[in-house]
């Protein structure tokens, strides 16, 4: 490591990005929503304790996971309602 110029302090290293926050975001995009929400919550807890970067990534993983679960539930309810109303029928040949 080189010495700083006289009169200047060395630049401190930037904090690391929390790995679980990154994994939470990636897993939520891949569709493993419940796991993404859990990992995001754990990442937020670790970030609070350690001061690492990645809070936004963890929050994004939680939000994407939660929205995906809500959309899946709405989709299932819509299909069930259509089936109950007779709008969806099956035909056999």
């Amino acid at each position: 490591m080189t010495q700083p110029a006289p009169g200047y302090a060395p630049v401190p290293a930037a904090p690391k990005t929390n790995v679980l926050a990154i994994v939470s975001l990636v897993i939520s995009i891949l569709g493993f929503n419940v796991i993404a929400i859990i990992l995001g919550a754990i990442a937020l807890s670790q970030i609070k304790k350690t001061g690492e970067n990645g809070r936004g990534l963890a929050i994004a993983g939680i939000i994407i996971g939660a929205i995906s679960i809500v959309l899946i539930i709405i989709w299932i309810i819509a299909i069930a309602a259509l089936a109950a109303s007779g709008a969806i029928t099956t035909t056999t040949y």
Side-chain angles (χ1 to χ4, degrees):
M1 185 169 138
T2 61
Q3 294 294 329
Y8 293 97
V11 177
K16 299 183 326 179
T17 301
N18 186 282
V19 174
L20 285 181
I22 298 169
V23 172
S24 171
L25 179 61
V26 171
I27 294 280
S28 70
I29 292 170
L30 294 176
F32 299 100
N33 304 317
V34 175
I35 297 170
I37 293 170
I38 293 168
L39 291 178
I42 294 170
L44 284 176
S45 174
Q46 289 179 352
I47 290 167
K48 193 175 192 181
K49 291 177 186 174
T50 63
E52 292 176 310
N53 288 331
R55 185 173 185 272
L57 297 174
I59 292 171
I62 292 170
I63 290 172
I64 292 170
I67 289 173
S68 297
I69 289 173
V70 168
L71 290 176
I72 289 168
I73 291 171
I74 290 171
W75 179 258
I76 290 171
I77 291 171
I79 295 297
L82 288 172
S85 69
I88 299 176
T89 58
T90 58
T91 57
T92 57
Y93 294 99

